[in-house]
């Protein structure tokens, strides 16, 4: 008699898993300072280095902020609007929409894109849903996650996420947990009382691939991790502009009120009625306006130095704005730089050409990450990968800003030339309609077709009844 013993999940980490966790944690902690620095510049919380020349000790606590990094990054992210997933062969994409809607991906995608632009990368983790719910797709910050990458295979071999313990796990206050993603399983761990980590769950999916996708920004062949849009050049110009603003604040404190000088005044001009010396402000606004003649009858000479002119500093800040616009590919007016002659609408669209092209490149790169994540989700749900011949497409809103009239005119010309059919979904997309609007148009067309069929059937029925009914001719009934 043969007794089969069920295989129990390991409640502790193996030596290989522990070594892998140590390597991944070291990689994550090594990059965290650089990521937090970019985050500080994006939030306007960076510390501007004081050169110790023009700032007096009394104003050391003065902190000036200029939000150009946020403006530059958000201007690019605002043009990356993910609208839908669909099959490239035109098949029914309701299953893709179900997974996307269950994970709120069309809203979460904007957060993932923003992190990828700020930090240089973002991660999409795929996991099993609970009960009959669709698989989970979550966007994870690189502050809490890292991925081990195989450059030859162009895929991840292991990933690690360290975060606060989930609410459904019984843990202590502010307890951390580890999630180790492997090609065959996902391991969740909590700190052990004896030190180290204790396994609380193993999700054996047996996919053969790590269910984590990296959304990288500005990749290069030698650097697949990605780079932030907040480059060293952007940080340098931001610091310089903040120092100029700080200099303007200091100048306002010292030279906002014009400096005056008095020659030949007696000491009593700076004393009150009881002979006590006046403070500087009372002297400035009061007694200097009414001075007495001296013993020889001469009136004291009062003059004023030229007030500080901030024009020089504002011109320097305008120069920094133009330099920053070239770094982000933004029209200068988005950073507050204006001229006496406003640009025309065509000129503004022309200056946005670089920003539009950058958006199109990000759409291509980020779209591939979303496609891979959706394919992994279907793989987790069905237990087998989707057919390789069926390709998933991502639908994005046009990153350019053409006028509605120009889009409609171009679409009408393509339809009239016979290049596009009038009832095609591609025609609606080229006309600038969003995915929701296109769905409503398709529903209206189906209702219109149904109504037309019913009207035609009704007309045929009336004609048939008329053919079968007797005809009356000159008062007589003609039964044919």
């Amino acid at each position: 008699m043969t007794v089969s013993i069920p295989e129990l999940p390991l409640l502790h980490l193996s030596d290989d898993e522990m070594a892998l966790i140590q390597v991944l944690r070291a990689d994550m902690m090594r990059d965290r300072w650089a990521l937090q620095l970019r985050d500080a510049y994006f939030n306007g919380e960076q510390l501007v280095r004081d050169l110790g020349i023009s700032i007096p000790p009394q104003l050391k606590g003065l902190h000036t902020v200029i939000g150009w990094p946020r403006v530059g990054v958000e201007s690019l992210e605002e043009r990356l609007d993910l609208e839908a997933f669909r099959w490239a062969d035109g098949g029914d994409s309701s299953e893709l929409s179900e997974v996307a809607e269950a994970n709120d991906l069309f809203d979460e995608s904007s957060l993932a894109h923003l992190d990828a632009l700020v930090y240089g990368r973002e991660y999409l983790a795929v996991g099993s849903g609970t009960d009959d719910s669709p698989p989970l797709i979550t966007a994870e910050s690189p502050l809490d996650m890292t991925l081990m990458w195989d450059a030859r295979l162009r895929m991840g071999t292991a990933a690690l996420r360290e975060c606060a313990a989930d609410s459904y796990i019984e843990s202590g206050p502010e307890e951390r947990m580890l999630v180790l993603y492997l090609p065959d399983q996902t391991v969740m761990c909590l700190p052990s009382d004896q030190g180290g980590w204790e396994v609380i769950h193993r999700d054996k999916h047996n996919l053969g691939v790590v269910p984590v996708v990296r959304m990288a920004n500005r990749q290069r062949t030698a650097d697949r991790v990605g780079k932030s849009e907040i480059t060293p050049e952007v940080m340098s110009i931001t610091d310089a502009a903040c120092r100029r603003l700080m200099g303007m604040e200091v100048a306002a404190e010292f030279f906002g009120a014009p400096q005056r000088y008095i020659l030949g005044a007696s000491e009593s001009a700076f004393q009150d009625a009881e002979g006590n010396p006046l403070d500087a402000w009372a002297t400035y606004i009061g007694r200097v306006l009414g001075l007495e003649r001296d013993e020889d009858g001469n009136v004291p000479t009062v003059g004023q130095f030229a007030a500080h002119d901030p024009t020089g500093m504002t011109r320097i800040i305008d120069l920094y704005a133009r330099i920053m616009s070239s770094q982000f590919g933004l029209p200068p007016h988005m950073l507050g730089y204006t001229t006496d002659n406003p640009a025309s609408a065509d000129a503004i669209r022309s200056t946005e050409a670089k920003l539009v092209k950058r958006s199109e490149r990000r759409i291509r790169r980020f779209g591939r990450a979303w496609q891979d994540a959706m394919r992994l989700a279907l793989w987790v749900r069905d237990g087998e990968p989707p057919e390789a011949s069926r390709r998933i497409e991502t639908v994005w809103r046009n990153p350019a800003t053409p006028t509605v009239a120009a889009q409609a005119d171009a679409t009408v010309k393509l339809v009239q030339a016979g290049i596009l059919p009038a009832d095609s979904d591609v025609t609606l997309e080229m006309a600038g309609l969003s995915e929701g609007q296109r769905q409503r148009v398709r529903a209206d067309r189906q209702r219109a077709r149904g109504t037309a069929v019913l009207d035609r059937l009704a007309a045929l029925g009336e004609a048939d009844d008329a053919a079968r009914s007797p005809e009356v001719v000159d008062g007589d009934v003609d039964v044919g």
Side-chain angles (χ1 to χ4, degrees):
M1 180 179 180
T2 303
V3 179
S4 61
I5 301 176
E7 182 181 355
L8 298 177
L10 293 177
L11 299 180
H12 62 277
L13 295 170
S14 65
D15 294 339
D16 292 340
E17 290 172 343
M18 281 299 302
L20 193 58
I21 287 177
Q22 292 176 0
V23 172
L24 291 172
R25 287 194 74 193
D27 178 72
M28 183 168 56
M29 299 304 296
R30 182 182 66 249
D31 296 339
R32 181 168 290 182
W33 183 86
L35 297 177
Q36 291 176 339
L37 177 63
R38 266 71 180 177
D39 191 63
Y41 273 89
F42 179 78
N43 294 321
E45 299 172 349
Q46 79 280 8
L47 297 177
V48 180
R49 185 174 57 186
D50 177 21
L51 300 181
I53 299 175
S54 59
I55 307 299
Q58 293 81 359
L59 297 178
K60 288 292 184 181
L62 181 64
H63 181 58
T64 57
V65 177
I66 191 163
W68 287 345
R70 176 186 289 272
V71 173
V73 173
E74 289 187 343
S75 297
L76 179 57
E77 187 277 325
E78 289 167 357
R79 294 173 181 259
L80 309 178
D81 290 331
L82 180 64
E83 290 193 336
F85 294 90
R86 66 188 178 195
W87 293 107
D89 57 8
D92 183 16
S93 59
S94 58
E95 57 179 347
L96 301 178
S97 300
E98 179 184 0
V99 174
E101 293 291 346
N103 291 278
D104 197 17
L105 291 187
F106 303 121
D107 185 34
E108 290 289 316
S109 62
S110 62
L111 306 181
H113 299 158
L114 186 60
D115 274 4
L117 296 175
V118 173
Y119 299 126
R121 58 188 178 274
E122 179 77 350
Y123 298 101
L124 304 177
V126 181
S128 304
T130 57
D131 300 332
D132 296 333
S133 62
L136 298 176
I137 302 178
T138 57
E140 304 293 344
S141 169
L143 292 172
D144 302 324
M145 194 169 194
T146 186
L147 176 69
M148 184 177 292
W149 184 259
D150 189 325
R152 185 179 64 86
L153 299 176
R154 290 191 296 179
M155 61 182 299
T157 57
L160 180 71
R161 179 166 68 99
E162 182 178 1
C163 58
D166 295 335
S167 58
Y168 65 87
I169 298 177
E170 296 182 0
S171 58
E174 298 183 358
E175 190 169 26
R176 307 290 289 176
M177 68 175 295
L178 288 181
V179 182
L180 178 63
Y181 298 87
L182 299 173
D184 60 337
Q185 61 182 318
T186 300
V187 186
M188 302 175 62
C189 309
L190 284 177
S192 174
D193 296 336
Q194 291 77 25
W197 298 93
E198 178 184 357
V199 177
I200 60 173
H201 180 64
R202 288 181 181 267
D203 180 14
K204 293 193 174 182
H205 47 72
N206 295 319
L207 298 178
V209 296
V210 177
V212 175
V213 179
R214 181 167 59 199
M215 183 183 294
N217 180 58
R218 296 178 59 208
Q219 282 184 324
R220 299 185 64 182
T221 54
D223 181 13
R224 296 290 182 174
V225 177
K227 294 291 186 181
S228 171
E229 292 294 322
I230 304 177
T231 61
E233 299 89 344
V234 170
M235 292 188 288
S236 175
I237 296 298
T238 302
D239 290 345
C242 287
R243 283 194 293 266
R244 293 288 72 75
L245 288 177
M246 189 178 298
M248 293 177 65
E249 293 288 341
V250 173
E253 292 289 336
F254 282 90
F255 307 109
Q259 290 183 317
R260 296 175 179 176
Y261 60 88
I262 304 175
L263 302 177
S266 61
E267 185 178 357
S268 61
F270 306 99
Q271 298 175 348
D272 58 14
E274 300 177 356
N276 300 318
L278 297 174
D279 57 57
W281 184 249
T283 302
Y284 184 82
I285 65 174
R287 294 295 297 275
V288 296
L289 301 179
L291 298 175
E292 300 177 353
R293 295 177 181 272
D294 58 10
E295 299 176 352
D296 300 330
N298 297 323
V299 178
T301 302
V302 179
Q304 177 177 304
F305 293 104
H308 170 68
D309 184 9
T311 305
M313 288 192 176
T314 57
R315 289 178 178 174
I316 294 176
I317 294 177
D318 288 344
L319 172 62
Y320 291 155
R322 295 198 300 271
I323 297 174
M324 187 67 75
S325 68
S326 67
Q327 294 293 326
F328 280 122
L330 297 178
H333 70 271
M334 288 189 176
L335 297 176
Y337 176 75
T338 58
T339 59
D340 295 335
N341 297 322
S344 62
D346 291 337
I348 292 176
R349 280 193 292 271
S350 176
T351 57
E352 292 180 351
K354 185 175 182 180
L355 180 59
V356 172
K357 189 60 181 178
R358 288 160 64 97
S359 303
E360 292 173 349
R361 289 292 178 87
R362 300 307 183 276
I363 285 175
R364 177 181 297 180
R365 174 61 59 182
F366 294 169
R368 177 59 184 271
W370 286 114
Q371 294 166 16
D372 292 344
M374 186 61 69
R375 181 172 290 275
L376 280 172
L378 297 180
W379 195 343
V380 170
R381 185 196 65 180
D382 302 334
E384 58 182 7
E387 298 180 11
S389 59
R390 301 199 69 188
R391 186 168 56 88
I392 299 175
E393 286 185 347
T394 51
V395 182
W396 301 78
R397 189 170 300 171
N398 188 359
T401 55
T403 62
V404 176
Q407 283 185 290
D409 182 65
T411 306
V412 169
K413 289 180 179 178
L414 291 174
V415 172
Q416 291 177 347
I419 299 176
L420 291 176
D423 58 348
S424 172
D425 190 64
V426 178
T427 304
L428 300 178
E429 185 176 344
M430 291 193 62
L433 275 66
S434 65
E435 179 64 20
Q437 292 172 333
R438 293 197 295 271
Q439 291 178 358
R440 291 164 57 188
V441 170
R442 288 193 292 268
D444 291 341
R445 285 176 176 175
Q446 291 178 356
R447 284 194 295 268
R449 292 193 189 99
T451 303
V453 170
L454 293 176
D455 293 342
R456 186 174 181 181
L457 291 176
L460 291 175
E462 293 176 357
D464 186 63
D465 293 341
R468 294 181 179 181
S469 62
E471 296 181 359
V472 179
V473 180
D474 296 333
D476 298 329
V477 177
D478 184 6
V479 295

